[in-house]
């Protein structure tokens, strides 16, 4: 700091600090650092350094920063205070017999001093003098008021000068007005006139010797931030995924194998009783696969039953009464929902010798060839829950949804009738959003149609309830993200990943 | 979901009651509709084309109502009002009746010729007699046809509707198919005649009709309907003739629907006549028409078939989770336009499904209607007693555990797209696309969706490129699926769970990535070693810098690569610093 720059050693430093403290002990109500500098006869900057050193010792002193305006001599001003004004120096240089003008002009103060002394009428010029123009004194003695005034300022007594005088000296660039930052110093809560050296940190040696007991430790600055730990970070969407997974596991749901992005139209649509002319099966909504274009293996009997229920009905259904084509069912695609996997799992369940109730869940990617915007990507994560058991009711579905959403911190739910080709009844789930003061859709749900379940071979009395929602939407709400591209994909801002808090969905 | 736009005041007048927006929204919610938007023509125009264009437009309040995709009977004001009035028990559902022509006249007849077989083999027809249009009714009639065309008719591919002023034409009508050059007529709202071939090129630039041209464009024969004087009624599914066009003053309407799907044609016809027979002198009656197939088969339309289903009150109660008497369930169903009666035998209910409820195809549809009328939100929510034990998918369990520890090892998780361009997985990685065994998408809208990724590396490199301004080093990882063609699978492809990580810094940091491999193997409890352990061995791989790549073996099996990326790979991903990477298959560790 500034104290170090003046060349004080640490001993002298401590001496100065203690002098300052002794001075402070004597005054009531505190003192200004500028006065301390004047009293101790050192430069103000040195005292500023000392104040900073004392501040670092804790509550020895307390300080308040002040700023004040103050007149100071310029370099030229200091020279004049020491050696006299230019005009005085010119006057004093002239002997009684006078001085040739050209010689006088060679003096450092010559030019300025000559004209000032002339206007003061201290000297005269004899232009017609033999041997060239010559300068003579006109008075015996002079009074160097410029020097006197500057000396007053130098002694800190600028108040004795009138403003007009100070401004005139300022115009002559002998004085300048400067702003001085100083401290108002008062005794601190642990004021003492002696300095003990402070330790910065606890060391193994201090612990071993016990010397820490006698030491004073430099206080920490608790306002500053710590050093960021050197660590990796999990992606926020995956953190939310982990929580949803946890919720399903807590509710006794088993995870489905959804690691098959490529699916046949058969499992993605036909098995779900979604007719072959359904708009979702259009090129505009679904990504179809050109290589490998077709699926080549299906459970034949089951496929026949699916064909029949679509084209002719059965199982109590009228069917859709259209010409069902295997060519449509074979077309490979990127699955548009994880319900394709639920269909495979339910078919598998139906092949068991004896039906056992199941609860399934999955959270994985699905793909839609849709128009993209701030909230829609061509791929997103679908969360799906499925329960299959004898005698499940619509009230049961609502009950399960209530439990599930309660775990997300959502307790106010209501249900709207909706349409979905493979569930009947179908319900959209709405929750009351306290911030928006309205009901917002949070998921879709329903009871799988008998035309889907019975061809699989599930027993007649078995009902299957299911619901789904996207993972991205709750995550965007949770982390306050408006554009889905800032969350998913390579355009993510890693700082957001670094900074994102842990995920507790219920708080 | 289709959206129907209706004038609010007209709707309330028809409902015989005024609602606040909130009250109407609530009614919609209960019934399964959604009041999507409250707007006006002026507002719509001003939003789409600017205030100037909207200056003279109407500011009559419009309700835009979302209708479930299977409820074609709610696609117009008439149907919506009827559905809601019956639901509110302010109206009894009408019975639709097919009648013979008055005074013993012959029914209208549409004869199908065999030429239609190759292009559009089916047709149905009906007559609405003595109808009274107003401006609003007329607009609604036109709008309903458009809604049906967009929905059940699948943009006219399955069914196309033509409606004609019967008093301008005379039957019997002929539905045939002809070469485009042989067809010549004045199409709707045009001032001169065109051949079919001329019409097709004329409509190429028509913002509306051009979307339908593809349906017949490449057919040798175009479908065409003539009256007995050779006047063209329509050239389905493109355009009607101008001669028979309907107007506000039309009294008698001949409706024909041509189709590739007969079931949907019948439903479409039933929808039009049930919705608009209300405005006939004898409301809710429809005059029959005959359709004669090339084989001589004669069918009478519209079918307007009522079907009766019998189900028990117990079935409804058990499926919904309520406890209502058979009588009150019958009452609930009647409110949904499904006229129902308790049959007297136990708790059996006879449910009559009217022709416009084509969406009811199974008892479960009836059950849903009972639940809607009862009120979804009046059903007691109960927890099922299903007892199950949860299991994690072992692959996902392993993934979850590894992710945690990779983050603990200082790497940050990325989440990249499964779909990408061919270039990303081939050229940019200095690979040949054929060798990647990639699955190709047939209908990508842009290059970003050409293939499913075969490596996680491009996604990570793109993530690095998007974050070049972040302090170095950047350490990223992802554990996720890639997809590879695989003949042994039913669909010919399989997912593969991969672990990929990159280290991006001023120096390549091979030792960092190598250290990560050691750590991963430690976590998987695989020791270094040649046989039962893991080891790495120098290898050449075009993605990596020559001499800076090794193949990773675990228990003697190759599981992936690690190394310093090839400078071309780095540049192709718009990166500037050296980068090392590891890419392994984690499925062997299950």
């Amino acid at each position: 700091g500034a104290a170090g720059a003046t060349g004080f050693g640490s001993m002298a430093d401590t001496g100065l600090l203690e002098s300052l403290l002794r001075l402070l002990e004597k005054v009531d109500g505190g003192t200004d650092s500028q006065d301390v500098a004047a009293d101790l006869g050192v430069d103000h900057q040195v005292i500023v350094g000392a104040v900073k050193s004392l501040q670092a010792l804790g509550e020895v002193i307390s300080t308040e920063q002040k700023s004040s305006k103050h007149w100071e001599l310029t370099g030229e001003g200091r020279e004049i205070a020491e050696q006299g004004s230019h005009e005085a120096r010119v006057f004093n240089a002239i002997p009684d017999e006078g001085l040739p003008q050209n010689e006088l002009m060679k003096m450092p103060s010559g030019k300025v001093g000559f004209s000032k002394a002339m206007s003061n009428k201290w000297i005269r010029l004899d232009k017609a003098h033999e041997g060239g123009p010559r300068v003579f004194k006109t008075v015996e003695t002079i009074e160097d008021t410029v020097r006197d005034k500057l000396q007053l300022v130098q002694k800190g007594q600028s108040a004795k000068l009138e403003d007009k005088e100070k401004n005139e000296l300022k115009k002559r660039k002998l004085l300048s007005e400067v702003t001085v930052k100083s401290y108002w110093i008062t005794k601190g809560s642990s004021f003492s006139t002696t300095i003990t050296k402070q330790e910065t940190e606890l060391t193994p040696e201090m612990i071993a010797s016990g010397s820490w007991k006698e030491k004073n430790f430099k206080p920490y600055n608790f306002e500053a931030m710590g050093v960021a730990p050197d660590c990796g970070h999990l992606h926020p969407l995956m953190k939310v995924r982990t929580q949803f997974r946890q919720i399903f596991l807590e509710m006794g749901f088993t995870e489905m194998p959804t690691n098959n992005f490529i699916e046949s139209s058969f499992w993605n649509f036909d098995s779900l009783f979604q007719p072959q002319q359904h708009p979702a099966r259009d090129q505009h909504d679904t990504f179809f696969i050109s290589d490998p274009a077709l699926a080549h293996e299906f459970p034949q009997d089951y496929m026949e039953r699916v064909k029949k229920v679509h084209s002719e009905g059965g199982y109590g259904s009228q069917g859709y009464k259209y010409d069902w084509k295997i060519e449509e069912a074979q077309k490979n695609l990127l699955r548009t929902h994880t319900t394709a996997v639920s269909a495979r799992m339910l078919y598998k369940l139906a092949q068991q010798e004896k039906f056992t109730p199941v609860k399934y869940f999955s959270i994985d990617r699905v793909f839609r060839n849709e128009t993209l915007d701030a909230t829609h990507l061509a791929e997103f994560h679908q969360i799906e829950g499925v329960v299959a058991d004898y005698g499940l009711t619509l009230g049961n579905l609502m009950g399960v949804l209530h439990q599930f959403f309660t775990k997300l911190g959502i307790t106010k739910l209501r249900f709207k009738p909706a349409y979905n080709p493979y569930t009947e009844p179908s319900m959209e789930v709405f929750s009351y959003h306290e911030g928006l003061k309205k009901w917002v859709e949070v998921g879709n749900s329903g009871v799988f149609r008998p035309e889907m379940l019975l061809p699989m071979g599930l027993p007649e009395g078995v009902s299957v309830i299911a619901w789904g929602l996207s993972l991205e939407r709750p995550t965007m709400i949770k982390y306050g993200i408006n554009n889905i591209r800032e969350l998913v994909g390579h355009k993510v801002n890693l700082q957001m990943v670094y900074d994102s808090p842990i995920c507790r969905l219920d708080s | 979901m289709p959206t129907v736009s209706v004038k609010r005041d007209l709707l309330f007048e028809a409902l015989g009651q005024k609602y606040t927006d909130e009250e109407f929204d609530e009614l919609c919610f209960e019934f399964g509709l959604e009041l999507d938007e409250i707007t006006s023509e002026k507002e719509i125009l001003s939003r789409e084309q600017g205030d100037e264009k909207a200056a003279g437009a109407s500011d009559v309040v419009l309700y835009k109502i979302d209708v479930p995709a299977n409820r074609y009977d709610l696609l117009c004001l008439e149907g919506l009002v009827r559905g809601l009035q019956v639901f509110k028990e302010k109206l009894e559902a009408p019975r639709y009746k097919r009648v013979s022509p008055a005074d013993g006249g012959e029914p209208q007849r549409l004869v199908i010729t065999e030429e239609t077989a190759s292009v559009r083999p089916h047709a149905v027809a009906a007559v609405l007699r003595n109808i009274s249009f107003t401006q609003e009714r007329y607009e609604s009639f036109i709008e309903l046809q458009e809604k049906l065309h967009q929905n059940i008719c699948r943009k006219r591919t399955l069914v196309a509707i033509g409606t004609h002023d019967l008093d301008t034409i005379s039957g019997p009508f002929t539905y045939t198919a002809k070469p485009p050059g042989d067809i010549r007529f004045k199409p709707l709202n045009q001032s001169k005649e065109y051949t079919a071939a001329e019409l097709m090129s004329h409509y190429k630039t028509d913002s509306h009709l051009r979307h339908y041209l593809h349906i017949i464009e490449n057919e040798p024969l175009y479908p065409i309907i003539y009256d007995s004087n050779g006047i063209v009624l329509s050239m389905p599914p493109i355009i009607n003739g101008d001669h028979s066009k309907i107007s506000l003053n039309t009294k008698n309407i001949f409706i024909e629907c041509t189709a590739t799907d007969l079931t949907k044609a019948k439903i479409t016809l039933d929808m039009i006549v049930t919705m608009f027979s209300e405005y006939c002198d004898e409301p809710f009656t429809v005059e029959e028409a005959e359709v004669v197939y090339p084989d001589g088969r004669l069918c009478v339309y519209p079918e307007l078939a009522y079907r009766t289903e019998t189900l028990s009150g117990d079935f409804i109660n058990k499926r919904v989770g309520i406890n209502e008497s058979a009588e009150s369930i019958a009452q609930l169903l009647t409110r949904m336009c499904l006229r129902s009666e308790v049959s007297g035998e136990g708790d059996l209910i006879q449910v009559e499904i009217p022709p416009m409820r084509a969406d009811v195809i199974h008892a479960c549809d009836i059950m849903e209607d009972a639940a809607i009328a009862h009120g979804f939100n009046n059903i007691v929510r109960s927890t099922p007693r299903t007892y199950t034990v949860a299991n994690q998918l072992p692959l996902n369990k392993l993934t979850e555990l590894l992710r945690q520890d990779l983050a603990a090892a200082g790497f940050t998780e990325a989440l990249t797209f499964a779909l990408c361009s061919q270039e990303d997985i081939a050229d940019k990685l200095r690979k040949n696309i054929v060798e990647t065994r990639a699955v190709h998408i047939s209908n990508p809208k842009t290059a970003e969706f050409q293939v499913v990724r075969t490596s996680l590396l491009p996604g990570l490199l793109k993530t690095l490129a998007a974050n070049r301004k972040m302090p170095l080093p950047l350490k990223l990882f992802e554990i996720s699926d890639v997809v590879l063609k695989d003949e042994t699978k039913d669909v010919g492809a399989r997912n593969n769970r991969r672990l990929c990580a990159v280290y991006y810094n001023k120096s390549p940091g091979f030792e960092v990535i190598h250290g990560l491999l050691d750590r991963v193997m430690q976590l998987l409890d695989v020791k270094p070693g040649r046989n039962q352990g893991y080891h790495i061995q120098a290898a050449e791989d075009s993605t990596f810098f020559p001499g800076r790549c090794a193949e990773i073996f675990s228990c003697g099996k190759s599981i992936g690569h690690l190394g310093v990326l090839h400078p071309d790979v780095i540049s192709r991903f718009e990166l500037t610093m050296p980068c090392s990477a590891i890419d392994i298959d984690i499925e062997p560790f299950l």
Side-chain angles (χ1 to χ4, degrees), chain A residues 4-281:
Chain A
T6 56
F8 279 92
S10 67
M11 291 298 287
D13 198 16
T14 306
L16 179 70
L17 298 184
E18 289 182 348
S19 308
L20 195 160
L21 291 170
R22 279 195 299 276
L23 204 75
L24 191 59
E25 192 185 20
K26 284 180 234 155
V27 293
D28 287 326
T31 179
D32 191 290
S33 55
Q34 291 188 85
D35 297 338
V36 175
D39 282 354
L40 296 179
V42 294
D43 192 87
H44 182 241
Q45 280 310 310
V46 176
I47 297 303
V48 169
V51 166
K52 283 183 177 157
S53 302
L54 287 170
Q55 280 174 326
L57 298 179
E59 300 299 310
V60 179
I61 57 166
S62 62
T63 58
E64 199 181 312
Q65 258 209 317
K66 290 171 60 184
S67 72
S68 57
K69 288 206 168 166
H70 152 96
W71 290 96
E72 207 171 65
L73 302 191
T74 64
E76 192 183 353
R78 272 199 298 278
E79 185 193 312
I80 287 172
E82 224 167 82
Q83 300 173 18
S85 65
H86 299 298
E87 54 271 33
R89 277 186 259 170
V90 163
F91 179 83
N92 291 332
I94 301 171
D96 288 346
E97 63 272 23
L99 200 65
Q101 192 189 14
N102 57 2
E103 239 172 83
L104 185 130
M105 284 306 181
K106 282 178 197 154
M107 287 174 60
S109 303
K111 229 177 181 174
V112 189
F114 173 76
S115 63
K116 273 280 169 195
M118 281 295 282
S119 72
N120 284 354
K121 298 203 165 55
W122 291 351
I123 56 172
R124 67 178 172 85
L125 177 65
D126 182 0
K127 285 184 183 166
H129 199 275
E130 57 183 89
R134 200 173 180 91
V135 185
F136 294 93
K137 290 197 263 193
T138 55
V139 291
E140 280 299 308
T141 56
I142 52 159
E143 204 179 321
D144 189 356
T145 53
V146 172
R147 180 188 197 173
D148 295 348
K149 285 175 194 169
L150 291 175
Q151 281 176 339
L152 275 177
V153 174
Q154 202 171 29
K155 284 184 218 148
Q157 296 170 4
S158 60
K160 286 186 179 165
L161 296 180
E162 282 176 33
D163 284 351
K164 196 180 148 196
E165 295 175 305
K166 285 185 276 201
N167 284 329
E168 197 175 305
L169 292 168
K170 188 181 170 186
K171 220 182 269 173
R172 284 183 68 178
K173 296 201 168 61
L174 303 177
L175 272 191
S176 66
E177 198 174 21
V178 292
T179 306
V180 176
K181 292 218 154 71
S182 64
Y183 289 96
W184 183 255
I185 313 165
T186 51
K187 292 170 194 164
S189 57
S190 52
F191 180 78
S192 149
T193 53
T194 51
I195 303 287
T196 26
K197 186 171 171 262
Q198 288 192 311
E199 299 293 339
T200 48
E201 290 297 359
L202 190 62
T203 64
E205 291 74 24
M206 291 176 199
I207 297 168
S209 65
S211 67
W212 58 269
K213 291 173 197 157
E214 279 84 43
K215 306 259 185 206
N216 256 350
F217 288 87
K218 200 176 169 193
Y220 279 167
N221 174 12
F222 293 112
E223 299 296 317
M225 298 293 280
V227 176
D230 187 13
C231 63
H233 309 264
L234 294 173
H235 190 281
L237 190 82
M238 293 292 104
K239 291 201 256 198
V240 179
R241 184 187 185 281
T242 301
Q243 288 310 304
F244 272 103
R245 207 168 163 268
Q246 186 64 32
I247 287 170
F248 277 113
L249 293 172
E250 285 167 8
M251 291 175 71
F253 283 65
T254 285
E255 195 168 25
M256 291 189 274
T258 46
N259 53 332
N260 59 325
F261 295 167
I262 310 301
E263 190 53 278
S264 62
S265 293
F266 179 76
W267 288 108
N268 196 80
F269 293 125
D270 296 286
S271 72
L272 298 171
F273 197 52
Q274 196 149 347
Q276 295 190 328
Q277 316 88 342
H278 193 276
R281 303 180 69 154

Side-chain angles (χ1 to χ4, degrees), chain A residues 383-428:
Chain A
I383 301 168
E384 179 162 347
V386 178
V387 185
D389 200 355
Y390 282 102
L392 293 175
T393 67
L394 194 58
N396 286 154
L397 173 57
M398 292 174 175
V400 174
L401 285 165
H402 179 74
Q403 290 182 328
F404 177 78
F405 280 98
T406 299
K407 282 182 173 283
L408 303 179
I410 296 170
T411 49
K412 226 170 160 185
L413 286 186
R414 65 175 193 164
F415 303 95
K416 174 178 160 296
Y419 169 67
N420 186 347
Y422 46 89
T423 54
E424 188 82 10
S426 309
M427 308 191 296
E428 282 170 5

Side-chain angles (χ1 to χ4, degrees), chain B residues 258-542:
Chain B
T258 56
T260 54
D261 181 323
L262 181 60
T263 310
K264 292 215 160 39
K266 290 179 192 172
I267 295 172
T268 304
L269 184 66
D270 278 352
M271 287 300 161
I272 297 172
V273 299
T274 53
M275 292 301 112
F276 282 88
S277 55
E278 181 181 352
Y279 301 133
C280 291
D281 274 0
E282 202 168 326
F284 309 115
T285 64
V286 186
E287 187 179 303
E288 67 191 20
E290 294 171 350
V291 173
V292 184
Y293 272 85
D295 62 3
R297 207 157 29 98
L298 189 141
C299 305
V300 181
Y301 295 110
E303 284 196 339
L304 288 182
Y306 283 80
R307 181 175 96 245
T308 303
E309 299 269 0
T310 305
L311 41 80
S312 70
D314 185 53
F315 165 80
I316 303 273
N317 280 326
K318 281 205 169 132
R319 291 296 168 124
V320 179
I322 50 176
N323 193 13
E324 296 285 330
S325 68
E327 284 76 14
S328 78
I329 289 171
Q331 211 175 345
L332 291 175
L333 291 171
T334 302
R335 281 175 53 206
M336 301 302 289
C337 290
L338 305 175
R339 200 187 298 250
S340 302
E341 283 176 356
V342 178
S343 72
E345 238 179 279
D347 70 340
L348 290 184
I349 306 167
Q350 305 276 341
V351 185
E352 188 185 55
I353 293 113
M356 84 293 176
R357 287 301 305 275
D359 59 296
V360 178
I361 57 174
H362 192 278
C364 69
D365 298 303
I366 299 169
M367 179 258 288
E368 180 184 63
D369 273 13
I372 293 173
H374 180 271
F376 274 12
N377 296 296
N378 298 324
I379 297 168
V380 176
R381 301 169 189 184
S382 56
T383 308
R385 298 205 184 129
T386 311
Y387 176 82
T388 53
V389 173
N391 287 304
Q392 304 185 47
L393 188 73
L395 182 61
N396 290 356
K397 186 177 181 174
L398 176 65
T399 303
E400 286 286 294
L401 292 171
L402 280 177
R403 285 175 55 240
Q404 300 285 340
D405 269 310
L406 284 178
F411 282 72
T412 290
E413 186 174 35
L415 176 68
T416 66
F417 296 127
L419 307 185
C420 60
S421 68
Q422 284 192 28
E423 198 189 14
D424 284 340
I425 54 164
D427 301 1
K428 285 186 177 177
L429 292 183
R430 305 179 80 246
K431 299 264 189 215
N432 183 332
I433 186 70
V434 181
E435 288 160 17
T436 60
R437 288 194 287 153
V439 166
H440 292 253
I441 294 164
S442 65
N443 56 333
K445 281 181 186 143
T446 66
E448 316 165 73
F449 311 120
Q450 287 173 330
V451 291
V452 190
R453 65 182 173 199
T454 52
S455 164
L456 300 177
L457 188 57
L460 290 186
L461 295 178
K462 286 198 270 186
T463 308
L464 286 179
N467 286 278
R468 276 175 308 198
K469 286 183 185 148
M470 294 293 288
L472 294 174
L474 284 170
K475 297 194 272 186
L476 300 181
F477 81 95
E478 185 170 15
I479 307 179
S480 189
D481 285 349
V482 303
V483 176
L484 303 168
K485 282 196 279 187
D486 182 347
E487 282 291 312
T488 66
K489 299 287 165 185
D490 60 347
V491 296
R494 68 175 164 90
N495 282 27
N496 180 217
R497 186 70 44 94
R498 293 281 182 81
L499 182 162
C500 187
V502 291
Y503 177 83
Y504 183 66
N505 202 358
K506 284 175 188 153
S507 63
F510 179 83
E511 68 288 355
V512 177
I513 280 299
H514 191 188
L516 184 69
L517 169 68
D518 294 334
R519 175 64 185 144
V520 168
M521 287 301 165
Q522 196 172 46
L523 292 167
L524 293 169
D525 200 17
V526 182
K527 306 269 182 306
R530 291 249 154 204
N531 299 316
Q532 291 312 302
Y534 75 97
H535 73 276
I536 66 173
Q537 181 176 304
E540 283 308 314
D541 184 299
S542 51

Side-chain angles (χ1 to χ4, degrees), chain B residues 156-175:
Chain B
R156 304 192 186 181
T157 54
L158 303 183
V159 186
I161 309 161
T163 55
H164 311 276
D165 187 335
L166 183 56
D167 298 324
T168 66
I169 46 180
S170 59
F173 305 101
T174 307
Y175 173 39

